[in-house]
Amino acid sequence: MVNSNANEHNCVIGSVVFNDILNCYIEEYKEYDKKLNKLYHQKITCLATTRKNKLRNSQRIWIKLKEKTCIVDEENYGRESHFEAMICEIEMTKERIKYLENIRLP
């Protein structure tokens, strides 16, 4: 897990309790999401208007894709589908970070 300050948050590393496990995934996701948002704002502020608009549109499309892809389905997969949804969000966010890191600034 990314969160090294587990005691300051809701993450209890090594626990087998559903909420503890889910909270660890949530904390990890928050860290990557924070990194993504910081990187996105750094990139978008340095781009010319045309490239800025393309990146903004790309980001909106990516967010919608993530929301459609990383879903909880308790009815078919039980409570653990919350874990799968969080893992999906974490992995997609990590991939988006890599994508943004590769955008060349003028």
Side-chain angles (χ1 to χ4, degrees), residues 5-16:
N5 300 317
N7 295 331
E8 296 177 20
H9 300 286
N10 296 318
C11 176
V12 180
I13 296 173
S15 176
V16 294

Side-chain angles (χ1 to χ4, degrees), residues 56-95:
R56 188 176 294 120
N57 289 336
S58 170
Q59 192 73 3
R60 288 176 180 155
I61 291 167
W62 174 80
I63 290 168
K64 287 178 184 177
L65 175 64
K66 184 177 70 153
E67 289 172 350
K68 287 181 183 178
T69 304
C70 303
I71 58 171
V72 173
D73 185 358
E74 278 194 37
E75 186 176 318
N76 292 309
Y77 301 105
R79 283 179 15 149
E80 286 75 18
S81 68
H82 289 270
F83 303 155
E84 294 301 319
M86 287 307 306
I87 291 167
C88 175
E89 288 197 48
I90 291 165
E91 292 304 315
M92 286 188 73
T93 302
K94 287 165 59 175
E95 288 299 316

